[in-house]
Amino acid sequence: MENKLIIKDFMSRKPRLSFFAIFTACIGIGLIVTQVQANIAEPSVASRNNPHYLPDEFNPKLQRIEDKIQMVKLEIKEAIRKANGEIAQDPETIHSIAFKGKTSSSKPTYDYTTGSSN
């Protein structure tokens, strides 16, 4: 009861300081709660990927960078193999397909900077 009187007396004598103290306490509590929630979220994602807390070498759901690199290497090798097979099978080149059925005429172009034509 005595503490309540002291707090009320302080708040009535210094309202700005008491408002600042209450405001600072609320902001501090909000920051602490936010930090606690952020710390809880990270392990919960890890626990979904590893619910039994297996070591990394035994966890089949662990995303390892080496596995991703190996998959990319295999995809590149497969794409190169397919590209080489398509080139070997199809003798037409991109230029022959692009210019198929087109006739070209050789008109000389005059170059005004050098004074010559091609």
Side-chain angles (χ1 to χ4, degrees), residues 17-71:
L17 183 61
S18 61
F19 173 75
F20 181 72
I22 292 171
F23 180 76
T24 305
C26 290
I27 294 295
I29 291 170
L31 290 174
I32 290 170
V33 168
T34 304
Q35 185 64 33
V36 168
Q37 287 177 346
N39 288 340
I40 289 172
E42 185 178 321
S44 66
V45 171
S47 66
R48 274 186 276 151
N49 291 337
N50 191 3
H52 302 290
Y53 300 102
L54 297 170
D56 287 344
E57 59 268 8
F58 299 122
N59 184 5
K61 291 186 178 180
L62 182 68
Q63 296 289 329
R64 293 177 182 85
I65 194 72
E66 295 87 11
D67 297 338
K68 291 181 182 179
I69 291 173
Q70 186 65 25
M71 287 175 50

Side-chain angles (χ1 to χ4, degrees), residues 100-114:
K100 186 183 286 185
K102 301 209 189 262
T103 59
S104 63
S105 60
S106 59
K107 297 179 183 174
T109 305
Y110 187 73
D111 187 4
Y112 291 101
T113 57
T114 59

Side-chain angles (χ1 to χ4, degrees), residues 5-26:
L5 291 175
I6 292 172
I7 293 172
K8 284 183 182 179
D9 186 38
F10 177 76
M11 290 177 73
S12 64
R13 281 188 287 136
K14 307 230 182 223
R16 289 184 182 166
L17 183 61
S18 61
F19 173 75
F20 181 72
I22 292 171
F23 180 76
T24 305
C26 290

Side-chain angles (χ1 to χ4, degrees), residues 72-117:
V72 169
K73 283 181 181 179
L74 290 174
E75 289 174 4
I76 291 172
K77 285 180 182 178
E78 183 68 23
I80 290 172
R81 189 183 59 76
K82 284 184 180 179
N84 286 339
E86 289 174 1
I87 291 173
Q89 291 173 358
D90 193 9
E92 293 185 1
T93 62
I94 294 173
H95 290 95
S96 64
I97 295 170
F99 294 115
K100 186 183 286 185
K102 301 209 189 262
T103 59
S104 63
S105 60
S106 59
K107 297 179 183 174
T109 305
Y110 187 73
D111 187 4
Y112 291 101
T113 57
T114 59
S116 63
S117 62

